[in-house]
Amino acid sequence: MLAASDASTVGIFLDTDPRRQAVCDAVRRLAVDAGMAAYLVGGPVRDHLLGVPVKDLDVAVVGSAPSLAQKLAEVLGGQLKVHPKFRTATVSLSQFPRRSISVDLVTARRETYSRPGALPDVEPGTIADDLGRRDFTINAMAIPLSGADSDLVDPHSGRADLEAGVIRTLHRDSFVDDPTRMFRAVRYEQRFGFRIDDATLADMQSALAGGAMATVSGPRIDNELGRLISERHPLPGLRRATELGLLAAIHPAMPTMAHWDALDGWSSVPPGAQPADREWPATWDAALFWTMTHDQVASLAMKNPYRTRRCRYVDMLKEGMPMLSADGLLPSEVCAFLDYPRPEASAVYALTVALAFAEPVAAERIRRYLTEWQDLQPHLRGSDLLELGVPEGPAVGEALKALRKARLDGVTRTRQDEGTFVLQWVPPSE
Ligand code: ATP
């Protein structure tokens, strides 16, 4: 399963990507000059060993990460952001073509938890300390970037777990210390097709039973859920998180497996009613909070304005369902209800079409809205209206609105019809 042939070759890793190699070389030179030890750690080491594309770079520095980061930003012309409180820094290198690279540098540290679920107290430490604070064995490996030694630092047998496809925590209290690791475990398990080790699973269940999730702040939950739905294929992770009881531990009104089963309806959504690529995150977000009211979501204090807005649409849509199912509703009346800013709205609507519990008549109207009516505009433009004698000013906008309504409801069909319509049209009185 592993791509890198043996541990002694990992020190020269990344030479397949000259851009990241250049960054690693720069870190190496600067660290040696400053008399610090620098290591590549966490995700990039894991992904490199797995042979999957490495994204951004994580570097642990035994010394001062902010000062090394500052030099790196100077040498490579990157943008520097320092977090003095955590002794960490990020260098963003946007000058690389195709995709920018971000380098996260942390000062190697030891962590202790004053209370479960809180952010940890940190103090400088060794690379062993730094690996010992990490979530899973597969994320607790390091490759030295400076110094003569290039062997993989692997004190928790992460490489063996990577080979066996196992997600394992480093100690039994790991999920109590930081319950967000439960979501991380699910993410890696589903992304790589791994399995969570039995003892780790048992620790997760006992942490959940002990109410660990309640110790996590809303914004941290928000972050984890956001990462879960940002995976390439979110559904398996969402199902697994539900099956393990992670969602119910956040709020009892969060989705059950039946909700995700209902989403099989996606396959029957016609292509035109599918959300556009850029709308998918909003759609998954709506799917995740679909079973909750806006007030229930607000009680989680996630402080995410996009989600708040989206949940309002969901509430509005659920309330509007009987109206959208009523006999004889005109297309323009459907539009008057559904015309909201995109992309949130259309993502939510597409989801409604997909869900088996949506009213079929309403679902069909939403589908037609998404595929036909949403973008339907009159043939005539503002300039045509001026030529027809509509006075300049708000009347032009009113006339265009009336024309769209007429076209939606089949009152007009051709450009000529619209000309006749405008000549008879009387602007609504103030
Ligand atoms: P991804 O590929 O999903 O971005 P990543 O491994 O790069 O995964 P990050 O969230 O960027 O993950 O974190 C970087 C590293 O920091 C992880 O590999 C892990 O070693 C450590 N880490 C992150 N979050 C935690 C946590 N909650 N507890 C312990 N260690 C963590």
Side-chain angles (χ1 to χ4, degrees), residues 82-402:
V82 176
H83 313 280
K85 192 172 158 215
F86 299 105
R87 299 188 187 97
T88 62
T90 302
V91 179
S92 305
L93 302 158
S94 53
Q95 78 273 33
F96 287 108
R98 281 183 291 141
R99 178 184 177 276
S100 63
I101 292 182
S102 152
V103 190
D104 279 328
L105 297 100
V106 301
T107 304
R109 63 197 198 220
R110 189 178 307 131
E111 288 185 347
T112 46
Y113 289 83
S114 57
R115 62 174 172 80
L119 287 174
D121 298 319
V122 302
E123 54 182 331
T126 62
I127 187 65
D129 290 329
D130 199 77
L131 296 178
R133 73 178 173 86
R134 289 175 184 263
D135 48 3
F136 307 112
T137 60
I138 60 166
N139 284 341
M141 293 181 275
I143 296 172
L145 288 176
S146 56
D149 195 4
S150 63
D151 281 356
L152 184 72
V153 185
D154 181 17
H156 304 283
S157 305
R159 190 166 188 164
D161 281 344
L162 210 51
E163 219 142 349
V166 172
I167 310 291
R168 190 195 314 274
T169 46
L170 306 195
H171 59 89
R172 303 303 299 261
D173 292 332
S174 188
F175 292 129
V176 176
D177 284 347
D178 182 352
T180 64
R181 292 172 184 160
M182 300 191 226
F183 289 99
R184 299 178 63 85
V186 165
R187 227 161 18 90
Y188 295 125
E189 184 194 51
Q190 298 304 312
R191 188 195 301 169
F192 299 126
F194 283 10
R195 70 176 175 83
I196 301 174
D197 157 71
D198 289 347
T200 297
L201 215 44
D203 292 344
M204 189 185 286
Q205 291 308 321
S206 93
L208 283 173
M213 201 63 85
T215 65
V216 188
S217 70
R220 293 191 76 206
I221 295 270
D222 177 57
N223 180 49
E224 290 307 324
L225 293 176
R227 292 183 75 168
L228 197 58
I229 58 175
S230 302
E231 287 289 311
R232 205 175 148 82
H233 302 292
L235 191 54
L238 290 166
R239 291 188 78 99
R240 183 71 163 143
T242 306
E243 180 187 67
L244 291 172
L246 304 193
L247 297 192
I250 294 175
H251 196 289
M254 284 207 84
T256 60
M257 288 304 255
H259 174 72
W260 304 122
D261 289 344
L263 271 181
D264 282 347
W266 272 129
S267 51
S268 62
V269 179
Q274 291 277 358
D277 280 355
R278 70 192 164 86
E279 292 169 350
W280 274 107
T283 309
W284 280 112
D285 198 51
L288 186 55
F289 292 97
W290 185 265
T291 54
M292 300 174 77
T293 63
H294 170 255
D295 288 348
Q296 285 171 331
V297 177
S299 75
L300 299 174
M302 293 181 165
K303 298 185 183 153
N304 179 334
Y306 302 105
R307 172 155 312 133
T308 307
R309 220 168 52 204
R310 221 162 279 146
C311 288
R312 285 224 180 85
Y313 288 132
V314 170
D315 270 4
M316 180 200 82
L317 203 61
K318 285 183 202 156
E319 275 167 27
M321 213 48 96
M323 190 275 269
L324 282 175
S325 302
D327 284 347
L329 201 64
L330 292 170
S332 63
E333 290 168 321
V334 175
C335 290
F337 183 69
L338 294 180
D339 272 344
Y340 266 80
R342 294 149 94 175
E344 277 84 5
S346 48
V348 171
Y349 303 152
L351 182 68
T352 317
V353 182
L355 287 169
F357 54 75
E359 302 283 330
V361 174
E364 173 58 12
R365 284 181 173 143
I366 297 171
R367 186 191 69 73
R368 290 198 68 188
Y369 171 78
L370 290 170
T371 53
E372 299 170 40
W373 301 334
Q374 176 173 240
D375 295 320
L376 194 77
Q377 294 301 331
H379 297 287
L380 299 183
R381 313 262 146 176
S383 52
D384 300 320
L385 300 188
L386 294 175
E387 271 176 34
L388 285 167
V390 176
E392 214 167 317
V396 175
E398 292 297 339
L400 286 172
K401 242 194 256 172

